[in-house]
Amino acid sequence: MNSQLIQNIYARAAEKKARIVLPEGGDIRTLQAAQKIQDLALATPIVIGNPDAIAALAKENNLTIGKFEIVNPETSDKLDAYKQSFVERRAKNTPELADRMLPKELNYAGMMVHVGDADGMIAGAANPTARVIKAALTTIGIAEGIKVASSYFLMQLPEFQGTKDKALIFADCGVNIDPNPEQLADIAISSAQNAEKLLGEPAKVAMLSFSTQGSAQHPMVDKVTEATAILKEKAPELAVAGELQADAALIPSVAAKKVNDDSGVAGQANVLIFPDINAGNICYKMVQYTANAQAIGPILQGFAKPVSDLSRGASVDDIITATAIILATDT
């Protein structure tokens, strides 16, 4: 689905003339994506890995790689400077820890972003999400004012309630299993910020539950109502409603019957915050396959600088689109 929205995201990313580091040079999809990123002038790709191994992999797959930069962390002339910067980042980062960690591709790439030698990092095609997040937390760190890293999906539905190419943000469907109220509020803030950058419209945040404004009583509902209160206090400028059932969040006629709220969110939500990963993961996959929606993500958020994860089943196009999204949402 090459929608106008995606075309706009690609165009905004290209305007940044940014440098994107891809630390999984041992995966052919990374090399193919780097080549396309360069050919599209989307960004300047930097691939991390052993140059000889990368050349052999490219030859084996009949790929003629271009002139993008390939960096071997173990022989890099910047490794010592990165180690020093790493040690200075936190008191518990010792020289011995730096010696052990920074020659590893994910950590080296994260330090490139941390010191400004790259503008963003995309990984996960060859590494599990937990490893990507750990590397990003260790090197790049969390954004100011945010206490938890999270993820979102950009969901594009071919049609929804008479609207073609409807775009929604779903969070968190891939990282936090059972976020507490404070974490849920931070997930909502990060998601709303990215929604406004991606969708080009004000974020309308629905804090989802199986209850709408007290229609059910349960500790699971209490978590969402508490998160909503925290969110409104922490980000009073956001349009937020909760707790809401999904139909009250998305369907105006249902909202008119169920919701007494002047936020403008009920029935009009474009950012859906799920109470836990069970609900979020099940819902995005259901929408993806029953509504023929395009699910782009998980895109990581909440970090001090742009970084994102990929599914290990990611396609070359998935890598390119993730690159465009994190660059387009960077401020």
Side-chain angles (χ1 to χ4, degrees), residues 258-283:
K258 288 187 174 184
V259 183
N260 179 20
D261 186 85
D262 60 1
S263 67
V265 172
Q268 305 290 335
N270 56 11
V271 179
L272 304 182
I273 305 300
F274 295 91
D276 56 47
I277 204 170
N278 261 324
N281 193 272
I282 291 167
C283 188

Side-chain angles (χ1 to χ4, degrees), residues 68-109:
F68 55 76
E69 186 178 0
I70 298 172
V71 177
N72 185 347
E74 295 182 356
T75 60
S76 169
D77 58 7
K78 293 189 175 183
L79 182 57
D80 287 341
Y82 288 175
K83 288 179 180 179
Q84 181 178 345
S85 179
F86 178 79
V87 171
E88 292 171 353
R89 246 193 116 247
R90 293 186 296 184
K92 69 178 184 179
N93 288 355
T94 64
E96 293 76 18
L97 185 63
D99 287 341
R100 187 168 72 251
M101 292 186 64
L102 292 199
K104 297 178 180 179
E105 288 87 350
L106 287 176
N107 297 323
Y108 183 93

Side-chain angles (χ1 to χ4, degrees), residues 187-217:
I187 291 166
I189 291 171
S190 296
S191 301
Q193 291 171 346
N194 284 314
E196 294 194 348
K197 295 170 188 174
L198 286 175
L199 306 182
E201 60 189 35
K204 297 182 178 182
V205 182
M207 306 296 285
L208 297 182
S209 175
F210 65 88
S211 167
T212 295
Q213 294 188 334
S215 65
Q217 304 295 318

Side-chain angles (χ1 to χ4, degrees), residues 4 12-13 18 22 31 37 55 101 105 139 145 150 155 192 194 206 208 213 225 258-259 270 280 291 303:
Q4 186 62 51
R12 294 207 307 275
L22 305 167
L31 303 184
I37 288 168
M101 292 186 64
E105 288 87 350
T139 57
S150 58
M155 303 294 296
N194 284 314
L208 297 182
Q213 294 188 334
T225 58
K258 288 187 174 184
V259 183
N270 56 11
F303 289 94

